[in-house]
């Protein structure tokens, strides 16, 4: 007896949408997916009421089991779920499906409905794929997926039998990749196996705009080069206002500052903090502080946990062996750890803000 599959650590659901000319395109995509594909695949094609053979046709080109979506169907990894003809399908946050009537023709935009529900239900853990088709169905849904931090792939116009749908999707600016039909299935397989998608232009632009400032001449390029989609913080486009605001404050400051964000205490700091750290290495940028092995790092983690729990500021003092300005007084380094509140986070706590100052004793 084989163990039950679990969802991919990064993606739960892949929604593939198409219209005219879609049967050939769907065959090509499903044929490239391996038997151990770790996400659920939801397929929607504009069909007349007599499209009842689609499951059997696709099953002949898929290593994965293929079945119809029914009201209440729970999406499972490694399975292909085909939306029934002339029905609306929506995905709930618990990954179950709602099937309803009200679709008579493609202009009723059932793909937009599917994509919008997927955006709300899975956010950055979803992939939307727009294949060949006529009209604009899916374009509004692509915008919703993009706002939710999901990944969107569109078939290239040159490889599409009917290019209207993928062109309309790409025109929204929410498409991450435009690929020939022959490459889409292989790309989905790589991503589900843990490979990385090329970063979208919108995401790289957002990183470049955020990670800049007088205090980020050295760390700014390093932070902008991080693929945040594979970190606990997720894509920069999905960061909360509180996190983006505190990052801007840190990177504008000449004073050593560090943000420890989220339960994992992911680290973002400025140039001054980089110089203050032993070894002046930027390798810990974007990485959880909980993974540190240094004594100072473990102490910082313990302090951050205390501050997050009590919401009270904690001061830590360290006396250096050196002296200041040729005087006999040793340099005293003070670190203040303060809570950062964020209503979008669990318990209302986003992270901890560390500011370091150095002085001689009064």
């Amino acid at each position: 007896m084989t163990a039950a599959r679990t969802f991919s650590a990064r993606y739960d659901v892949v929604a593939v949408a198409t219209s005219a000319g879609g049967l050939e395109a769907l065959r090509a995509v499903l044929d490239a997916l391996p038997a151990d594909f770790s996400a659920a695949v939801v397929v929607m094609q504009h069909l007349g009421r007599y499209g009842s053979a689609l499951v059997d046709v696709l099953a002949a080109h898929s290593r994965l089991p293929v079945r119809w979506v029914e009201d209440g169907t729970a999406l499972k990894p490694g399975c292909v779920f085909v939306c029934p003809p002339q029905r609306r399908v929506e995905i709930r946050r618990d990954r179950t499906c709602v099937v309803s009537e009200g679709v008579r023709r493609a202009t009723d935009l059932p793909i937009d409905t599917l994509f919008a529900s997927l955006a709300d239900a899975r956010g950055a853990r979803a992939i939307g794929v727009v294949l060949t088709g006529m009209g604009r169905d899916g374009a509004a849904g692509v915008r919703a997926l993009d706002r939710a931090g999901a990944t969107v792939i569109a078939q290239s116009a040159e490889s599409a039998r009917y290019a209207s749908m993928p062109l309309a999707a790409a025109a929204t600016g929410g498409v991450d990749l435009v690929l020939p039909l022959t490459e889409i299935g292989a790309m989905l397989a790589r991503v589900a196996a843990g490979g990385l998608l090329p970063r979208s232009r919108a995401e790289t632009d957002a990183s470049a705009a955020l990670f800049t400032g007088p205090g980020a001449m050295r760390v700014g390029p390093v932070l902008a080069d991080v693929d945040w989609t594979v970190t606990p913080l997720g894509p920069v486009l999905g960061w909360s206002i509180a996190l983006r605001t505190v990052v801007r404050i840190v990177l504008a400051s000449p004073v050593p500052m560090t943000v420890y964000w989220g339960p994992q205490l992911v680290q973002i700091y400025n140039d001054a903090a980089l110089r203050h750290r032993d070894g002046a290495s930027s390798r810990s940028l974007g990485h959880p502080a909980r993974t540190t092995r240094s004594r100072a790092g473990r102490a910082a983690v313990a302090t951050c946990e205390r501050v997050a729990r009590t919401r009270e500021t904690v001061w830590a003092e360290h006396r250096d062996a050196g002296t200041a300005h040729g005087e006999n007084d040793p340099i005293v380094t003070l670190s203040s750890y303060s809570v950062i509140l964020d209503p979008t986070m669990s318990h209302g706590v986003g992270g901890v803000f560390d500011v370091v100052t150095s002085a001689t004793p009064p």
Side-chain angles (χ1 to χ4, degrees):
M1 180 176 180
T2 58
R5 288 193 194 175
T6 58
F7 279 98
S8 162
R10 188 176 178 194
Y11 294 111
D12 291 337
V13 181
V14 178
V16 184
T18 185
S19 183
L23 184 56
E24 179 184 354
L26 290 172
R27 287 171 174 171
V29 171
L30 295 182
D31 191 55
L33 301 183
D36 59 352
F37 192 73
S38 59
V41 181
V42 179
V43 170
M44 175 172 281
Q45 182 179 12
H46 290 155
L47 295 169
R49 66 172 65 186
Y50 301 109
S52 58
L54 185 58
V55 164
D56 294 334
V57 172
L58 295 182
H61 293 269
S62 175
R63 298 175 182 85
L64 307 174
V66 182
R67 64 193 64 168
W68 288 110
V69 173
E70 298 178 354
D71 192 45
T73 293
L75 300 180
K76 298 179 180 179
C79 294
V80 178
F81 299 89
V82 180
C83 298
Q86 296 188 319
R87 296 290 188 274
R88 293 191 187 278
V89 175
E90 298 177 80
I91 300 172
R92 294 192 182 105
R93 294 188 178 184
D94 62 358
R95 293 190 289 263
T96 60
C97 298
V98 178
V99 179
S100 58
E101 297 185 0
V103 178
R104 296 185 178 181
R105 56 186 68 88
T107 53
D108 292 326
L109 307 179
I111 296 172
D112 280 336
T113 300
L114 174 66
F115 279 0
S117 70
L118 178 61
D120 180 66
R122 306 314 303 157
R125 299 178 68 84
I127 300 177
V129 182
V130 181
L131 302 178
T132 175
M134 299 176 66
R136 296 184 53 83
D137 193 12
V142 165
R143 292 192 186 96
L145 287 168
D146 181 48
R147 288 193 297 269
T151 298
V152 182
I153 300 172
Q155 183 178 352
S156 65
E158 296 78 11
S159 69
R161 187 172 176 184
Y162 298 92
S164 298
M165 263 179 48
L167 283 175
T172 67
V175 171
D176 297 283
L177 287 174
V178 176
L179 295 174
L181 176 62
T182 54
E183 297 181 15
I184 292 176
M187 176 61 73
L188 292 174
R190 282 200 299 274
V191 170
L196 301 181
L197 279 169
R199 297 169 67 194
S200 70
R201 181 174 179 180
E203 176 69 9
T204 56
D205 287 349
S207 293
L210 178 61
F211 300 123
T212 185
M217 300 302 291
R218 290 186 62 187
V219 302
V222 178
L223 290 166
D225 194 50
V226 173
D227 185 359
W228 294 95
T229 61
V230 297
T231 73
L233 300 190
V236 171
L237 287 169
W239 287 10
S240 68
I241 293 175
L243 176 54
R244 283 180 283 155
T245 299
V246 74
V247 168
R248 289 188 182 278
I249 292 172
V250 167
L251 301 185
S253 177
V255 176
M257 295 182 178
T258 301
V259 175
Y260 298 93
W261 196 261
Q264 299 85 2
L265 302 177
V266 176
Q267 304 168 87
I268 300 175
Y269 45 85
N270 58 15
D271 287 349
L274 174 63
R275 292 190 295 268
H276 179 75
R277 291 167 176 248
D278 294 337
S281 172
S282 60
R283 287 179 298 179
S284 57
L285 282 166
H287 291 279
R290 294 186 184 280
T291 61
T292 184
R293 296 181 179 180
S294 70
R295 182 177 180 181
R298 292 196 300 270
V301 168
T303 303
C304 287
E305 290 174 340
R306 174 184 169 187
V307 171
R309 184 177 65 256
T310 65
R311 303 193 182 189
E312 297 179 354
T313 298
V314 171
W315 290 83
E317 177 181 319
H318 174 70
R319 292 178 178 265
D320 294 335
T323 59
H325 307 297
E327 300 175 0
N328 293 325
D329 290 329
I331 299 173
V332 177
T333 300
L334 297 174
S335 293
S336 65
Y337 294 84
S338 304
V339 71
I340 307 169
L341 300 179
D342 186 344
T344 68
M345 299 287 283
S346 177
H347 308 299
V349 174
V352 175
F353 189 38
D354 175 25
V355 181
V356 176
T357 56
S358 297
T360 56

